[in-house]
């Protein structure tokens, strides 16, 4: 059986020795694991691979688009496998995790009377004709958000469909498939049992996938809300788009191999926009199956939007950082779900989706309600079993956020006999509060508010309080505000690429939900809902995917990078109070929180200029990761994992380029990728450093743009030329310019400093944020 270019060759001595060691290994030392194996040509059959390895090979998936196999083998065979001729990379599988009625009005696509803006309805066409898909926990086909109203035509050039035996597909929900071989293999390796019903069905048993898909492309559904709150018309960003679900995530998590197979299948089926509310801590692109799969997707002109992660506000926590995907952070919108905590003569307003306490009740802090043998630290967090029923019964308990889930704390209080809960943020969470569907009356309050609550509890010998919930309140200022959980930059994999790229509503978002799961996910919660509030970058991601659908509908010939640019360069950097975007503490946020800013779909549909990042730009970007320059294709000193990264991604990207490609002999820098934002680390303390960019006029007709500069502290930025003019005759005409950095104050520039450049013709304003520092790494 042919095995790439090394088939039939005499086994090298090192390979023979490794194989001999494997054959003499004791069975107890063996552990079967799952791997993605990339070859430099068509992969061999599992039988041929097994013969070469001298061990059993179980095939999980074949990845034709990238010459890959997903296999399960004895981990002792990996060193042997890596030495086989034709093997480019061996990547161990890992688990990934999954990360409305008001959103679109807040984003300017409809007015306060619910009437659609002309840009949304007639220019963006509500996304009609576009196919939006997600890779998530599946979809509930009975949701009204995916109803076929008889007015949608059959999608063009679509070869996907529904899993056999799965009913519910129509001209709105045009695809629903499940990918489970990876999670089955991982569960088997860990000695765990999977729920066969859940794992083998495209149906959503978690609620997450239904929520995210309806946010991106759900149809118009009037008179819905969450547990009676926030009633209005639910719809996605592209409500006339077709949608498809690729289920690769389960209660146990998401196998990287399942995600990769789902991405490649979506591309093959004809998807236009892919929404990925899934991720893991940032890792080298070569070990990240999402980065590998989306690289291929972008070469096939699929727009990829990905969630940035929910482990903020820690610096460097951002994930999904590859430059060929649009990475989204989360922020608030101008709606809250008020829950008043009445203590004495004072009323403190938190948020919740629950009911009210019937009357004033005695209050106690969790810290003072600890059960025998339980620490005050545990009971203050309302951990399971930590509360003493004798101290808690009939009372409202004040619990501190952290360790266990927010709604789980309410269950602990209820089990101990409590009648209500006030959930208090710590200093790290600041003003970031969520409206949760607690199982008892509850209110989630900010850190500053909770200082007053704790002072009251300490000052009154018999504290009494009451929780009174109200319906949704809109027009709240300031908004947007960064969500504390939203992961932050800098990009720890490639610091020269600013991430996140954009922020969008991700807090208290109402969208469709699965009736296979309770709103809290707690086993004790018997409630079922059809629409639900959720928070996370998982929710902000499909907002942007829906907007990408509008752009794809208006500009069907644009490549993904032009869509990314339009969304990034037109973003808002201020709130509805006229002040810059704030973080969860009330301080000024930076591009490490919001990237280019808060998405503005109206402006994105008419961006004026775009930064068109081509396949060859990505190839040169990958080349620029080399430590040295040579006359050849690669320096012989290139270390592995860069060697593997280069070989794999160059092969993926050049698959759509018929021209032979070699790394440029010029002095390439990662900063020179034609990206809509600019990140310049490691600036010299003396002298200058220059990055290159180019822009294309998509505004129609002749135009002249002049640049204005917001200078970073301690650094002088110049742009040459400062004016670019287009004659309007060639729609693909581009203008090149250079951005030069000169450090004036090394002390200030030793920390990250922020600025930006803006091109304007008087009508369009094309913004690119700048992040700069003399710090390296």
């Amino acid at each position: 059986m042919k095995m790439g270019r090394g088939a039939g060759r005499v086994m090298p001595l090192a390979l023979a020795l490794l194989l001999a060691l494997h054959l003499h290994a004791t069975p107890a030392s063996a552990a079967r694991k799952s791997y993605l194996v990339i070859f430099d040509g068509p992969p061999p059959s599992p039988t041929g691979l097994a013969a070469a390895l001298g061990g059993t090979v179980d095939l999980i998936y074949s990845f034709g688009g990238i010459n890959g196999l997903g296999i399960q083998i004895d981990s002792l065979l990996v060193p042997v496998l890596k030495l086989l001729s034709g093997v480019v990379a061996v990547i161990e599988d890992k688990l990934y995790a999954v990360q409305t009625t008001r959103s679109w009005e807040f984003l300017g696509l409809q007015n306060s009377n619910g009437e659609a803006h002309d840009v949304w309805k007639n220019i963006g066409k509500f996304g009609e004709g576009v196919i939006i898909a997600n890779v998530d926990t599946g979809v509930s086909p009975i949701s009204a958000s995916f109803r076929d109203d008889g007015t949608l035509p059959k999608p063009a050039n679509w070869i996907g469909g529904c899993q056999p035996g799965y009913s519910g597909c129509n001209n709105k929900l045009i695809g629903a498939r499940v990918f489970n071989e990876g999670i089955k293999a991982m569960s088997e390796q860990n000695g765990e049992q999977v729920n066969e019903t859940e794992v083998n069905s495209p149906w959503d048993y978690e609620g997450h996938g239904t929520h995210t898909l309806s946010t991106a492309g759900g149809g118009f559904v009037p008179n819905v809300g969450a547990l009676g709150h926030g009633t209005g018309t639910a719809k996605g960003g592209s409500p006339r788009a077709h949608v498809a679900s690729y289920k690769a995530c389960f209660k146990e998590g998401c196998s990287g191999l399942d995600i990769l197979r789902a991405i490649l299948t979506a591309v093959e089926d004809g998807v236009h926009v892919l929404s990925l509310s899934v991720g893991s801590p940032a890792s080298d692109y070569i070990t990240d199956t999402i980065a590998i799969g989306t690289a291929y997707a972008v070469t096939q002109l699929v727009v990829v939007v990905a969630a940035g992660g929910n482990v903020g506000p820690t610096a460097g926590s951002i994930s999904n950082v590859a430059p060929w995907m649009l990475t989204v952070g989360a922020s608030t919108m101008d709606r809250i779900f008020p829950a008043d905590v009445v203590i004495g003569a004072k009323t403190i307003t938190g948020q919740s989706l629950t009911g009210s306490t019937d009357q004033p009740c005695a209050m106690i802090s969790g810290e003072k309600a600890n059960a025998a043998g339980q620490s005050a630290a545990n009971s203050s967090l309302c951990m399971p079993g930590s509360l003493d029923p004798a101290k808690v019964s009939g009372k409202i308990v004040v619990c501190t956020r952290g360790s266990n889930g927010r709604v789980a704390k309410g269950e602990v209080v209820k089990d101990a006999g409590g009648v209500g809960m006030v959930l208090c943020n710590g200093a790290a969470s600041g003003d970031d509060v969520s409206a949760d569907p607690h199982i008892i009356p509850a209110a989630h309050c900010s850190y500053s508010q909770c200082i007053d609550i704790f002072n009251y509890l300490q000052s009154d010998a018999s504290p009494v309080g009451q929780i009174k919930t109200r319906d949704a309140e809109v027009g709240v200022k300031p908004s947007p505000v960064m969500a504390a959980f939203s992961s932050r930059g800098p990009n720890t994999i490639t610091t020269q690429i600013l991430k996140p790229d954009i922020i969008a509503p991700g807090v208290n978002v109402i969208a469709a939900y699965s009736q296979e799961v309770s709103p809290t996910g707690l086993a004790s919660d018997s409630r079922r809902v059809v629409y639900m509030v959720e928070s996370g970058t998982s929710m902000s991601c499909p907002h942007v995917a829906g907007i990408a659908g509008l752009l794809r509908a208006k500009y069907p010939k644009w490549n993904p990078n032009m869509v990314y640019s339009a969304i990034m360069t037109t973003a808002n950097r201020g709130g509805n109070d006229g002040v810059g975007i704030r973080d969860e503490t009330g301080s000024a946020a930076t591009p490490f929180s919001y990237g280019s800013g808060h998405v503005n779909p109206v402006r994105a549909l008419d961006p004026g200029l775009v930064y068109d990042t081509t396949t060859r730009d990505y190839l040169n970007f990958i080349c620029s990761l080399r430590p040295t320059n040579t006359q050849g294709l690669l320096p012989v000193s290139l270390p592995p994992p860069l060697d593997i990264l280069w070989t794999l991604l160059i092969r993926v990207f050049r698959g759509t380029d018929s021209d032979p490609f070699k790394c440029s002999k010029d002095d390439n820098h990662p900063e020179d990728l034609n990206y809509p934002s600019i990140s310049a680390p490691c600036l010299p303390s003396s002298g200058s450093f220059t990055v290159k960019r180019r822009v294309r006029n998509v505004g129609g007709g002749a135009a002249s743009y002049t640049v204005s500069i917001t200078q970073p502290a301690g650094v002088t930025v110049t742009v040459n030329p400062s004016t670019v003019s287009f004659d309007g005759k060639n729609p693909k005409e581009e203008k090149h310019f250079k951005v030069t950095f000169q450090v004036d104050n090394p002390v200030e520039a030793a920390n990250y400093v922020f600025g930006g450049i803006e091109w304007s013709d008087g009508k369009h304003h094309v913004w690119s944020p700048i992040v700069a520092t003399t710090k390296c790494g």
Side-chain angles (χ1 to χ4, degrees), residues 32-37 60-61 63 69-73 75 78 89-97 179-190 248 250 253-261 280 283 286-290 292:
R32 292 184 67 75
K33 294 186 177 181
S34 303
Y35 299 90
L36 169 64
V37 187
I60 298 175
Y61 290 114
F63 303 106
L69 292 177
I71 61 172
Q72 187 181 44
I73 60 172
S75 59
V78 171
V90 179
I91 304 160
E92 184 177 343
D93 195 11
K94 64 180 179 181
L95 277 179
Y96 292 74
F179 302 86
N180 56 20
E181 297 301 330
I183 199 68
K184 286 181 177 179
M186 294 184 81
S187 297
E188 177 188 332
Q189 294 156 22
N190 296 330
F250 310 88
C254 324
S255 155
L257 294 180
D258 290 338
I259 292 172
L260 180 58
R261 181 66 268 170
S280 69
S283 61
I286 189 58
T287 64
D288 185 353
T289 51
I290 290 181
I292 295 167

Side-chain angles (χ1 to χ4, degrees), residues 497-712:
I497 302 298
L498 174 62
K499 293 285 179 171
D501 294 307
I502 199 80
I503 58 171
V507 178
N508 298 337
V509 176
I510 297 178
Y513 208 63
S514 173
Q515 296 182 60
E516 298 296 325
V517 64
S518 70
T520 61
L522 299 173
S524 63
D525 187 358
S526 61
R527 296 173 298 175
R528 294 296 183 267
V529 296
V530 292
Y531 286 82
M532 193 56 228
V533 163
E534 292 278 4
S535 296
T537 56
S538 281
M539 284 65 245
S540 54
C541 169
H543 275 90
V544 177
I547 293 166
L550 302 177
L551 282 157
R552 186 63 184 260
K554 182 180 180 183
Y555 304 105
K557 294 184 179 180
W558 278 15
N559 65 47
N561 309 290
M562 297 170 74
V563 173
Y564 303 161
S565 176
I567 290 172
M568 292 169 65
T569 59
T570 57
N572 298 327
R573 304 188 303 282
N576 59 0
D577 60 348
V579 179
I581 297 172
R582 296 175 173 89
D583 67 18
E584 68 286 346
T585 68
S587 301
T590 75
F592 283 151
S593 296
Y594 57 72
S596 294
H598 187 265
V599 66
N600 183 329
V602 174
R603 288 185 57 201
L605 284 160
D606 183 20
L609 302 177
V610 294
Y611 293 80
D612 182 6
T613 313
T614 66
T615 296
R616 294 186 76 83
D617 288 326
Y618 285 128
L619 292 170
N620 279 316
F621 167 75
I622 296 166
C623 290
S624 72
L625 300 178
R626 301 173 302 168
T628 59
N629 293 300
T630 69
Q631 298 298 312
L633 189 64
L634 275 175
V636 293
S637 60
L638 191 67
L642 276 181
D643 186 14
I644 298 172
L645 169 68
W646 193 93
T647 306
L648 172 61
L649 292 182
I650 286 289
R651 206 194 59 72
V652 171
F653 277 115
R654 75 179 175 192
T656 58
D657 194 333
S658 59
D659 296 331
F661 179 83
K662 285 192 175 185
C663 286
S664 169
K665 297 176 184 178
D666 297 333
D667 188 19
N668 288 325
H669 301 281
E671 295 92 337
D672 287 332
L673 179 68
N674 197 42
Y675 208 67
S677 59
I678 301 172
S679 180
C682 212
L683 291 177
S685 295
S686 60
S688 63
F689 180 76
T690 298
V691 300
K692 306 168 189 173
R693 290 291 188 274
R694 65 183 190 277
V695 287
R696 178 190 294 189
N697 177 27
V698 294
S704 180
Y705 284 80
T706 300
V707 73
S708 60
I709 303 171
T710 300
Q711 298 289 352

Side-chain angles (χ1 to χ4, degrees), residues 274-326:
L274 193 56
S275 181
L276 300 176
S277 292
V278 59
S280 69
S283 61
D284 289 334
Y285 305 139
I286 189 58
T287 64
D288 185 353
T289 51
I290 290 181
I292 295 167
T294 55
Y296 177 75
V298 168
T299 68
Q300 304 303 304
L301 303 182
V302 176
V303 174
V304 179
V305 185
N310 301 331
V311 289
T314 304
S317 56
I318 191 72
S319 60
N320 287 328
V321 296
W324 45 85
M325 62 179 90
L326 190 65

Side-chain angles (χ1 to χ4, degrees), residues 320-408:
N320 287 328
V321 296
W324 45 85
M325 62 179 90
L326 190 65
T327 309
V328 188
S331 54
T332 65
M333 60 181 112
D334 66 339
R335 178 184 64 191
I336 62 172
F337 298 91
D340 295 330
V341 181
V342 182
I343 49 173
K346 180 173 288 188
T347 297
I348 292 172
T349 300
Q351 292 199 60
S352 181
L353 290 176
T354 57
S356 306
T357 54
D358 295 331
Q359 57 190 9
C361 305
M363 296 182 71
I364 188 171
S365 70
E367 183 180 17
K368 294 184 177 180
N370 56 310
Q374 290 287 330
S375 67
N378 273 353
S379 63
S380 69
L381 291 166
C382 296
M383 299 291 287
S386 66
L387 300 179
D388 184 348
K391 300 175 182 177
V392 167
S393 181
K395 297 179 181 177
I396 296 172
V397 182
V398 181
C399 304
T400 303
R401 185 176 182 177
S403 296
N404 56 335
R406 298 187 301 270
V407 294

